[in-house]
Amino acid sequence: FPPLLQKGSSPVAPVHVVNDESADKTNLGFIHAFVAAISVIIVSELGDKTFFIAAIMAMRYNRLTVLAGAMLALGLMTCLSVLFGYATTVIPRVYTYYVSTALFAIFGIRMLREGLKMSPDEGQEELEEVQAEIKKKDEELQRTKLLNGPGDVESGPGTTIPQKKWLHFISPIFVQAFTLTFLAEWGDRSQLTTIVLAAREDPYGVAVGGTVGHCLCTGLAVIGGRMIAQKISVRT
């Protein structure tokens, strides 16, 4: 019996230890990626164009609709960026680390240069630019409504009810918030940073951290964007 017990028990302990070690490494990788992504997003998104889009639209329209549209766009963009970054993992990890480190260094130097050249009232200029863009979109929306008219009288009342139900779920404000945020975020430094992070960190941690970071920034913008924009120096 002792030899049998030894044979039966000896392989169990190492397997258990390996599983614990791999689980710890996975958890640490997720936490590290989560913290890296959320910190980068919060720093880069506060006072950014997407921040002002949410802030200005929330002052003019329903806050929940604006928040839902903006968050859907940012969540989708984060997931796409993580997928792009994860696709580069086919390259050997050594090269990925070198390339990503070089890219982070370039981003850092660029941001320092932008900060040195930036005027103290940079945030106000960005705010005015976004206001003009939203005003232009509103005018386009009004023109579309005038061209389409109140609806076809011959079609009867039966067709107008489903249209109202459809618009109740997907309102023009929701579409506007989604479109403006998605286009503003495409090619933005936070998107590029998310791609680079996903190439070297745990992709799930980056996706969750990036989404939570966007949630916090967009939530702050919707609640009191103008007040926060006046208090925060983009240059700092």
Side-chain angles (χ1 to χ4, degrees):
F1 285 104
L4 289 172
L5 286 171
Q6 284 176 5
K7 283 180 182 177
S9 59
S10 59
V12 175
V15 170
H16 185 65
V17 171
V18 169
N19 285 341
D20 282 348
E21 284 178 359
S22 62
D24 288 342
K25 282 181 182 178
T26 305
N27 289 335
L28 284 171
F30 179 89
I31 292 163
H32 189 269
F34 177 86
V35 172
I38 194 171
S39 57
V40 165
I41 293 298
I42 287 171
V43 170
S44 61
E45 285 299 306
L46 281 176
D48 197 27
K49 197 172 184 180
T50 50
F51 180 88
F52 286 126
I53 286 168
I56 295 164
M57 288 195 73
M59 286 186 280
R60 303 176 67 176
Y61 308 114
N62 183 276
R63 288 180 178 184
L64 285 174
T65 307
V66 173
L67 181 64
M71 275 315 306
L72 182 63
L74 292 168
L76 183 63
M77 183 63 75
T78 303
C79 291
L80 284 172
S81 302
V82 169
L83 284 172
F84 289 151
Y86 187 68
T88 62
T89 54
V90 293
I91 304 165
R93 295 290 286 176
V94 179
Y95 300 116
T96 309
Y97 273 109
Y98 282 126
V99 171
S100 59
T101 304
L103 286 171
F104 273 128
I106 292 163
F107 292 161
I109 292 163
R110 276 190 63 192
M111 285 185 77
L112 285 170
R113 283 185 65 192
E114 286 172 13
L116 290 169
K117 291 179 181 179
M118 201 178 281
S119 60
D121 57 344
E122 180 74 20
Q124 292 300 316
E125 291 171 10
E126 187 100 12
L127 187 70
E128 288 167 12
E129 184 186 335
V130 174
Q131 278 178 327
E133 194 172 339
I134 290 172
K135 189 180 177 182
K136 185 182 174 183
K137 288 284 181 185
D138 284 342
E139 287 171 359
E140 287 175 6
L141 188 66
Q142 290 298 325
R143 279 200 298 270
T144 307
K145 281 183 180 178
L146 288 169
L147 287 169
N148 290 338
D152 191 1
V153 180
E154 292 179 3
S155 61
T159 55
T160 56
I161 294 166
Q163 189 180 8
K164 284 181 181 178
K165 283 183 180 178
W166 176 255
L167 289 174
H168 178 72
F169 290 109
I170 303 178
S171 67
I173 306 307
F174 177 89
V175 175
Q176 187 177 336
F178 176 87
T179 309
L180 283 172
T181 306
F182 192 87
L183 292 174
E185 191 64 17
W186 188 267
D188 192 30
R189 60 173 171 260
S190 58
Q191 187 207 12
L192 298 173
T193 308
T194 307
I195 292 169
V196 176
L197 271 174
R200 61 182 291 166
E201 302 287 347
D202 182 82
Y204 296 106
V206 175
V208 175
T211 306
V212 171
H214 280 302
C215 272
L216 291 171
C217 290
T218 311
L220 283 172
V222 167
I223 293 164
R226 184 179 284 275
M227 183 183 69
I228 293 165
Q230 289 171 351
K231 299 288 182 184
I232 291 173
S233 166
V234 179
R235 181 175 185 176
T236 306

